[in-house]
Amino acid sequence: MTTIKLHNTRTRGKEVLDPINPDDVRLYLCGPTVYDRAHLGNARPVVVFDVLYRLLREVYGPDHVSYARNFTDVDDKINATAVARKEAGAPGTLEELVQERTEETISWYLADMAELGALEPDHMPRATAYIPQMIAMIEELIAKGHAYPDGAGHVLFSVKSYKDYGALSGRSVDDMIAGARVEVADNKRDPMDFVLWKPSTDELPGWESPWGRGRPGWHIECSAMSHELFGDSFDIHGGGNDLMFPHHENEIAQSCCAHPEGDFAKIWLHNEMLQVEGKKMSKSLGNFFTVRDLLEQGYPGEVIRFVFLQTHYRKPMDWTDKKAKEAEATLRKWRALTAGIEPAPSAAAAVIAALSDDLNTAGAVAELHKLATTGDAASLLASAQLMGLLTEELGAWAKGEEVDLSVYEQALFDARAVAMESKDFAEVDRLKSAYLEAGVEVRMSKQGVELVPGAGFDPAKLEAALKPL
Ligand SMILES: [Zn+2]
């Protein structure tokens, strides 16, 4: 059997994946808070862990891998949108408007991630469906002396009660206090203590609990949901490295203190962040965009995925327009090369080897280029498909040329109007012959110009026709 090695953040080295139960390899990824469209950075872990999921399915069998990715559907930003809608006169109770916002965001998220070729996880737990499990876990933590209620509706986790706190990121508690904006509050015994439960207002979503009506803190969600689905110990926990502290440190503290007999997650995988044209993506820099923005600008989901996979997940991923253009050209070439070909029975050994070496997708892409150069189309197809590329579902963009012809129609229409005045038809004739050369039939009438692409349609030539000579 193929040996998979992964870089474990906790031990800071590459480790052989040795599943607790090879018949049920369990992978948990922290999912989105569903308050708005996913931005491009949110999509990176989804694509990275989708490749890992596909590799695990290849190695252990599709029925022997369980992948969970949660939806955080309790959040102030969701509530804020619902309140704004209510104030703008939207019908329904605040609770219904909260529900509406989470439902629409979840459906956007699933549609956008599907366009990037991400398989749906086996489990997509929503926090609001696991409130009793969270309450039970908090009670357990209080009983074991790791948490305390403040008497005013909050329950806090006592960080000092867990000696290994900070072991994941390798920082001391003092360093963490210095590096993070730790909120000092009167109800905390120690500034590092974090919220497990907090009170809610009457109108906003809340649940009855031993500490009054309230709602869970963010960190307890993942601990409770992963325990319910996967038990005390499971194989791999993933997320962006921005979640390492405090979210993942807190998850570990909660889970290991509530269930000290287990290991929680054995291997921790963290992906690096995404940049745009060498800069951090931010609204103030004007380089912030959602996955949907890119798709609407005409970047096919498969191209976005391919650009992502060219960088190793532990390195910062720089999204550039140049990379997207090159990715598009490569995929077009590979799709032409593999058209009508049956994929080989399995992916190329070199591709599986690269992926098994800490998910070296950049190395795997290099192998795909080699297969394309040698003309091994069947192997190229099988190997690319293992990485979620060159699949049937993602191929629509490369089939029909959905080029907007109206700009070319207008150019010819305008040129004719000018020619009618000047009696010089040279530009009209030039455009007509350039369009014909590009494989487009030209139909002209008094009302306008209609262009009809034919079999030999070449969008690049059409584009060239409008370039100044
Ligand atoms: Zn989490």
Side-chain angles (χ1 to χ4, degrees):
M1 186 181 272
T2 305
T3 300
I4 298 177
K5 286 185 185 165
L6 298 168
H7 183 274
N8 189 351
T9 306
R10 200 169 60 167
T11 56
R12 301 185 224 313
K14 252 189 235 180
E15 281 180 21
V16 171
L17 171 68
D18 179 19
I20 299 164
N21 175 5
D23 289 334
D24 185 21
V25 183
R26 285 156 291 165
L27 166 67
Y28 186 95
L29 175 67
C30 291
T33 302
V34 286
Y35 67 94
D36 208 347
R37 287 264 184 206
H39 64 66
L40 196 60
N42 299 141
R44 189 176 191 201
V46 174
V47 171
V48 165
F49 290 95
D50 181 64
V51 174
L52 177 59
Y53 181 45
R54 288 171 186 267
L55 176 68
L56 292 171
R57 287 161 62 98
E58 171 82 11
V59 172
Y60 293 95
D63 297 334
H64 302 299
V65 183
S66 302
Y67 175 24
R69 184 184 67 212
N70 68 295
F71 286 117
T72 294
D73 56 354
V74 191
D75 183 71
D76 286 336
K77 290 189 205 122
I78 303 171
N79 295 344
T81 303
V83 168
R85 285 181 175 178
K86 179 112 188 107
E87 282 167 0
T93 64
L94 199 50
E95 203 149 354
E96 283 164 350
L97 292 168
V98 165
Q99 176 99 12
E100 184 185 292
R101 182 59 172 171
T102 58
E103 290 302 331
E104 74 184 7
T105 312
I106 288 173
S107 65
W108 288 342
Y109 185 83
L110 293 176
D112 292 351
M113 297 310 128
E115 291 226 31
L116 302 183
L119 299 173
E120 281 198 1
D122 305 288
H123 306 280
M124 294 192 280
R126 298 180 186 198
T128 50
Y130 290 78
I131 302 288
Q133 289 87 343
M134 294 179 209
I135 291 175
M137 195 172 211
I138 295 169
E139 287 185 303
E140 183 87 44
L141 289 169
I142 295 174
K144 289 179 174 163
H146 294 290
Y148 56 95
D150 72 348
H154 298 82
V155 181
L156 292 128
F157 185 91
S158 168
V159 167
K160 284 231 167 88
S161 77
Y162 179 55
K163 65 172 173 37
D164 288 336
Y165 193 84
L168 175 70
S169 45
R171 287 185 285 184
S172 72
V173 171
D174 290 338
D175 283 352
M176 283 185 277
I177 293 175
R181 274 169 293 178
V182 175
E183 201 186 324
V184 182
D186 291 343
N187 64 345
K188 289 186 183 178
R189 289 180 190 166
D190 184 278
M192 285 298 282
D193 292 353
F194 58 88
V195 167
L196 300 172
W197 189 265
K198 56 189 163 192
S200 191
T201 63
D202 287 344
E203 314 83 65
L204 289 172
W207 292 265
E208 291 307 327
S209 82
W211 318 287
R213 187 173 180 280
R215 58 196 176 113
W218 171 36
H219 316 295
I220 194 72
E221 291 177 13
C222 288
S223 285
M225 291 188 283
S226 63
H227 187 262
E228 179 71 15
L229 294 167
F230 291 164
D232 291 348
S233 309
F234 57 92
D235 301 293
I236 305 166
H237 192 309
N241 65 0
D242 55 335
L243 297 183
M244 205 185 297
F245 172 77
H247 184 55
H248 290 162
E249 295 284 7
N250 292 357
E251 278 189 38
I252 293 173
Q254 295 161 158
S255 294
C256 292
C257 289
H259 307 289
E261 56 288 0
D263 298 323
F264 190 35
K266 287 178 70 183
I267 294 184
W268 284 83
L269 239 55
H270 289 98
N271 64 277
E272 255 287 351
M273 296 293 98
L274 175 134
Q275 304 175 326
V276 173
E277 308 284 350
K279 294 198 179 78
K280 190 175 179 221
M281 187 165 77
S282 80
K283 283 187 174 144
S284 59
L285 286 174
N287 64 354
F288 179 94
F289 35 79
T290 65
V291 172
R292 184 53 48 180
D293 290 337
L294 275 190
L295 293 170
E296 282 176 357
Q297 285 165 27
Y299 295 95
E302 185 176 35
V303 168
I304 300 173
R305 181 182 183 92
F306 189 44
V307 171
F308 278 11
L309 295 183
Q310 289 172 36
T311 301
H312 190 262
Y313 75 93
R314 296 183 59 229
K315 292 188 178 146
M317 150 78 226
D318 191 20
W319 170 269
T320 68
D321 201 51
K322 182 163 175 276
K323 280 186 191 169
K325 293 253 159 59
E326 285 166 3
E328 183 172 337
T330 302
L331 287 171
R332 229 178 248 289
K333 212 163 61 189
W334 289 357
R335 282 201 171 267
L337 188 65
T338 56
I341 299 253
E342 277 294 310
S346 78
V351 171
I352 295 178
L355 295 176
S356 303
D357 181 12
D358 194 26
L359 228 51
N360 182 3
T361 53
V365 167
E367 295 297 334
L368 296 183
H369 279 287
K370 282 186 204 162
L371 292 169
T373 308
T374 56
D376 190 349
S379 219
L380 170 64
L381 189 55
S383 306
Q385 287 182 343
L386 173 61
M387 299 174 74
L389 297 165
L390 305 188
T391 60
E392 187 60 36
E393 307 85 75
L394 290 189
W397 69 275
K399 270 188 201 140
E401 284 295 349
E402 285 176 48
V403 175
D404 181 8
L405 295 172
S406 63
V407 51
Y408 303 98
E409 290 166 346
Q410 189 65 43
L412 184 51
F413 186 79
D414 292 346
R416 185 177 60 175
V418 171
M420 299 291 250
E421 293 290 324
S422 67
K423 306 291 176 209
D424 177 2
F425 284 84
E427 175 63 3
V428 174
D429 292 339
R430 186 192 72 80
L431 281 176
K432 269 163 72 176
S433 60
Y435 289 179
L436 287 171
E437 180 66 29
V440 180
E441 188 192 328
V442 181
R443 296 176 188 168
M444 295 180 83
S445 68
K446 271 211 176 77
Q447 288 74 39
V449 174
E450 193 193 352
L451 299 180
V452 184
F457 176 46
D458 184 346
K461 278 190 185 167
L462 193 61
E463 217 177 302
L466 288 194
K467 293 223 175 90
L469 295 171

